């Protein structure tokens, strides 16, 4: 029997219609309805199946454990402590020890002083960093040396400021970041008008820049197949990871998603800063202030749970508080600078001493350290993937 579905309609098949009937989308270009010939547009058929475990001796196969996200959009890798599902059961990463699973749980330090901060400051971050298009020369040289057509994973891509450079070199980019607001700014195309000349793209490449392939994901548990990328970059990400286990796991995930023979570029903030640097760090684990302007914070008025007022909120409330002060009270952990009329956020950062990144790379089997460098206050390691291991 033929069933005509009007445009923008949906039919759900259940019970006998789903399990006993045969159904298909007929291969033709038109439908005849009440004597009228109607051209066919795109039709989609989705079949939802339950994945079963492999049957064991004297046991009946059952459905695989299920992991449900309690937040929207789902963030891959943020697994509650009560989850009984191993990484292998999730079908992406193969790390499955108890220690590894504990590293999947985001520490409060990172949730409060990294994730929440970047969600809040995303608009200003993109305006003051991404649109300027200031890229590390070592990273751009790394990208330029890749063969044309390479698939590059930009892990912790933020607002996608390296996208134009990757695409301009003839490669394809897949970007992931834990911050959805930052990823939304990535779709604006940081390599457009106003960016540095080397980031200007040809017309045929502009579409790739303005519609990048991005996903919200934790860098220590990536939704990418093993060996699916030719190279990966991880720029200014690892200094936001607060435990050694999570740092090692991040490198292990980079190694997993890059094919054997592929290369990885990792850069992170250095404890040893240059003499003329404005940054001077007196410890390896510090909170670095970010001065946020109220006009940008108002643009992020949908940040989850922050209670930020809308753009139409009054400049002064009934108690005489200005916008900056009201915003500082609505963002958890933010402070109000009355002299500068700014909202101050504190970002957690781990400053890497010389040789520390190399020590972490040595903890991941199958990797070969190709080069170490120091560039403008950052430690850099270039790593080659020689073999894939199940950890």
């Amino acid at each position: 029997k033929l069933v005509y579905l009007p445009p923008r309609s949906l039919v759900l098949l259940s019970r006998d219609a789903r399990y006993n009937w045969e159904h298909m989308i007929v291969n033709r270009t038109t439908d005849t309805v009440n004597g009228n010939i109607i051209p066919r547009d795109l039709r989609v058929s989705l079949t939802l199946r339950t994945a079963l475990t492999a049957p064991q001796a004297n046991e009946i196969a059952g459905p695989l454990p299920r992991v449900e996200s309690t937040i929207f959009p789902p963030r891959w890798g943020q697994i509650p402590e009560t989850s009984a599902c191993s990484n292998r059961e999730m079908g992406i990463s193969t790390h499955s020890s108890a220690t590894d699973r504990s590293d999947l749980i985001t520490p409060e330090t990172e949730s409060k002083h990294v994730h929440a901060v970047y969600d809040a400051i995303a608009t200003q971050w993109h305006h003051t960093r991404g649109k300027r298009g200031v890229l590390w020369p070592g990273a751009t040289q790394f990208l330029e040396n890749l063969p044309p057509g390479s698939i590059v994973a930009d892990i912790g891509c933020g607002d996608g400021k390296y996208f134009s450079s990757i695409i301009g070199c003839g490669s394809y980019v897949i970007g992931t970041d834990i911050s959805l607001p930052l990823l939304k700014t990535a779709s604006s195309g940081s390599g457009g008008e106003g960016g540095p000349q080397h980031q200007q793209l040809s017309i045929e490449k502009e579409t790739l820049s303005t519609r990048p392939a991005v996903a919200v994901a934790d860098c220590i548990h990536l939704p990418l197949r093993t060996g699916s990328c030719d190279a990966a970059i991880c720029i200014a990400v690892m200094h936001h990871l607060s435990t050694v286990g999570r740092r090692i796991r991040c490198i292990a995930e980079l190694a997993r998603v890059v094919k054997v023979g592929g290369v990885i570029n990792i850069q992170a903030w250095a404890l040893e800063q240059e003499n003329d640097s404005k940054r001077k760090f007196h410890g390896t684990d510090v909170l670095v202030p970010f001065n946020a302007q109220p006009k940008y914070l108002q643009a992020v008025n949908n940040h989850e749970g922050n209670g930020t007022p809308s753009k139409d909120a009054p400049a002064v409330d009934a108690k005489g508080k200005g916008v900056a002060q009201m915003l500082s009270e609505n963002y958890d952990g933010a402070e109000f600078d009355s002299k500068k009329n700014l909202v101050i956020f504190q970002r957690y950062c781990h400053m890497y001493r010389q040789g520390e990144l190399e020590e972490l790379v040595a903890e991941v089997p199958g990797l070969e350290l190709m080069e170490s460098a120091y560039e403008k206050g950052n430690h850099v390691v270039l790593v080659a993937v020689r073999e894939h291991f199940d950890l």
Side-chain angles (χ1 to χ4, degrees):
K1 182 177 181 180
L2 301 180
V3 178
Y4 172 71
L5 299 179
R8 304 184 64 82
S9 62
L10 171 71
V11 61
L12 299 178
L13 303 180
S14 61
R15 298 185 180 180
D16 287 349
R18 177 180 179 184
Y19 297 106
N20 295 332
W21 297 4
E22 292 184 358
H23 51 87
M24 68 185 72
I25 298 177
V26 181
N27 184 21
R28 59 171 180 258
T29 60
T30 62
D31 286 315
T32 302
V33 180
N34 298 326
N36 298 319
I37 298 178
I38 303 174
R40 305 192 82 181
D41 293 324
L42 177 66
R43 310 287 177 95
V44 178
S45 176
L46 300 177
T47 301
L48 306 179
R49 302 183 183 277
T50 299
L52 301 179
T53 59
Q56 304 294 329
N58 301 322
E59 293 184 3
I60 300 177
L64 286 173
R66 182 177 59 183
V67 174
E68 295 183 1
S69 175
T70 58
I71 55 177
F72 183 84
R75 281 161 168 75
W76 191 276
Q78 292 187 338
I79 301 176
E81 192 168 2
T82 56
S83 173
C85 180
S86 71
N87 304 327
R88 186 180 301 276
E89 289 167 342
M90 293 187 71
I92 298 293
S93 177
T94 56
H95 313 307
S96 58
S97 71
T99 303
D100 286 336
R101 287 190 59 238
S102 67
D103 291 330
L104 288 174
I105 302 170
T106 303
E108 183 180 1
T109 298
E110 295 177 35
S111 297
K112 182 177 180 179
H113 292 290
V114 180
H115 302 177
V117 171
Y118 280 100
D119 281 358
I121 68 174
T123 301
Q124 181 173 342
W125 185 268
H126 177 60
H127 183 79
T128 57
R129 269 81 166 173
K131 287 187 176 181
R132 289 186 302 171
V134 179
L135 309 180
W136 298 125
T140 56
Q141 184 64 50
F142 172 83
L143 296 171
E144 290 170 358
N145 290 337
L146 296 175
S150 296
I151 298 176
V152 181
D154 188 349
I155 305 305
C157 64
D159 62 352
K161 72 175 185 178
Y162 281 93
F163 287 3
S164 293
S165 182
I166 295 171
I167 296 169
C169 294
S171 297
Y172 299 91
V173 62
I174 301 173
T176 69
D177 199 277
I178 198 66
S179 173
L180 177 61
L182 272 177
L183 287 178
K184 286 182 176 180
T185 67
S187 64
S188 65
S190 60
E193 297 181 1
Q197 185 62 35
H198 72 270
Q199 279 194 287
Q200 302 300 319
L201 296 176
S202 60
I203 295 177
E204 59 270 21
K205 292 182 179 179
E206 187 65 30
T207 300
L208 291 176
S209 179
T210 56
R211 299 189 64 182
V214 296
V216 176
D218 198 323
C219 63
I220 53 93
H221 195 60
L222 298 170
L224 301 175
R225 293 198 308 272
T226 299
S228 58
C229 301
D230 300 294
I233 61 174
C234 189
I235 312 297
V237 174
M238 286 194 56
H239 55 239
H240 289 312
L241 300 178
S242 59
T243 68
V244 173
R246 287 172 66 80
R247 296 163 197 157
I248 294 174
R249 189 178 180 89
C250 176
I251 297 175
E253 277 293 85
L254 292 169
R256 182 184 64 80
V257 302
V258 172
K259 71 179 185 180
V260 173
V263 286
I264 304 168
N265 181 308
I266 302 173
Q267 298 193 23
W269 230 339
L271 177 63
E272 306 85 3
Q273 293 292 304
E274 298 160 322
N275 292 332
D276 59 349
S277 173
K278 297 179 181 179
R279 301 285 191 187
K280 298 298 180 183
F281 304 110
H282 302 288
T284 55
D285 294 276
V286 297
L287 292 177
V288 179
F290 182 91
N291 300 329
Q293 300 179 38
K295 65 178 181 179
Y296 292 113
L297 292 178
Q298 286 180 304
V300 196
N301 58 8
N302 62 345
H303 179 68
E304 295 176 3
N306 61 24
T308 306
S310 67
K311 292 183 179 181
D312 298 325
V316 179
D317 72 354
K319 297 181 180 180
K321 296 180 180 179
V323 171
Q325 185 174 0
M326 288 189 290
L327 288 170
S328 66
E329 295 174 355
N330 286 321
Y331 282 97
D332 185 23
E335 302 170 355
F336 173 55
D337 187 332
S338 58
K339 294 182 179 180
K340 298 180 180 179
N341 196 36
L342 297 173
V343 181
I344 312 301
F345 291 92
Q346 299 292 342
R347 294 178 294 155
Y348 166 81
C349 293
H350 173 78
M351 302 302 160
Y352 287 84
R353 55 180 171 77
Q354 185 177 3
E356 188 174 357
L357 281 178
E358 293 85 339
E359 293 172 359
L360 295 175
V361 169
E363 293 293 324
V364 181
L367 295 183
E368 179 183 354
L369 180 66
M370 304 296 292
E371 182 180 341
S372 298
Y374 178 89
E375 181 181 31
K376 295 184 177 180
N378 290 271
H379 287 306
V380 184
V381 291
L382 301 183
V383 181
V385 181
R386 299 306 183 198
E387 193 172 356
H388 285 148
F389 286 88
D390 287 349
L391 299 184

